[in-house]
Amino acid sequence: MNKIITALVVTIIASISFGQEESTGHSYSIKFAPIQLIAGEFNFTYEQRLTKFTSLELELGPTFSEVGLSRGNHNLWNTGNPESAIGFHGALGFRLYPLCAANEMSSLYLEPQFKYRRYNSVYTDDNYNAGDITGNLDQLIFRFNLGYQFWASDRLAIDLYAGIGMGNNSDERYDLIYDGVSGAYTWKANVVKRLLINGTTGIRIGFGK
């Protein structure tokens, strides 16, 4: 692992040093990933060119639990029946375009990426006066994305990608229990932590200049 990290750092420094010349190509793009809606995630991406071969990519947007195919859908994984609520996600990636022939943020790319995602879920009580309480699923993800980006026109960017890595999942759920001392129902937290393989694939469509 240390050798991989060292090689990655050397590659980043070398690519930045190599690509400092001025460019007349594309310098940024703003994109939307529609397939991420399946994961309950509105994914907006901003990519900024650094050098001929490299760029930084920032992801931001809201998340919605209890929908789609993500771990945030507790019904899918048989872990309770909370109501959907709004969360958020953010990610930072460094792209390397080793085959790029011009300053275009175009061609095959490799991208190590760190991502944080939170799904919020509301547990409700209509019968025992315990009130409502919010649980959350936190995901800290590191993965490598491999993709191909091209410009369908001077302003229209198409980005095809797939990635795989590991994700640390911490799911804070709540169960309604009876407290024999107080004679009332209360919420009891149940935190489940897992380290899981995390994969993604999709398409981003956007515009740039």
Side-chain angles (χ1 to χ4, degrees), residues 67-143:
V67 296
L69 302 177
S70 72
R71 284 276 169 182
N73 187 347
H74 293 84
N75 292 315
L76 184 66
W77 304 98
N78 297 316
T79 55
N81 187 31
E83 295 180 359
S84 179
I86 299 175
F88 65 92
H89 72 93
L92 183 65
F94 177 88
R95 285 194 177 189
L96 175 64
Y97 292 90
L99 305 179
C100 191
N103 300 289
E104 292 291 330
M105 298 192 305
S106 179
S107 78
L108 185 75
Y109 66 82
L110 176 66
E111 178 187 33
Q113 182 189 61
F114 284 99
K115 182 168 186 171
Y116 174 76
R117 182 163 57 191
R118 166 168 281 200
Y119 293 98
N120 291 322
S121 301
V122 177
Y123 294 80
T124 61
D125 167 40
D126 297 326
N127 301 311
Y128 302 106
N129 297 317
D132 298 341
I133 194 168
T134 300
N136 53 72
L137 168 63
D138 292 318
Q139 295 180 315
L140 184 61
I141 301 165
F142 175 73
R143 63 186 173 216

Side-chain angles (χ1 to χ4, degrees), residues 135-154:
N136 53 72
L137 168 63
D138 292 318
Q139 295 180 315
L140 184 61
I141 301 165
F142 175 73
R143 63 186 173 216
F144 283 96
N145 297 324
L146 181 66
Y148 188 89
Q149 180 166 277
F150 65 95
W151 295 86
S153 69
D154 185 55

Side-chain angles (χ1 to χ4, degrees), residues 186-206:
T186 60
W187 291 106
K188 180 182 179 181
N190 178 23
V191 180
V192 178
K193 296 184 178 182
R194 296 186 180 95
L195 186 63
L196 300 171
I197 294 176
N198 181 274
T200 187
T201 186
I203 180 173
R204 295 187 181 94
I205 303 171

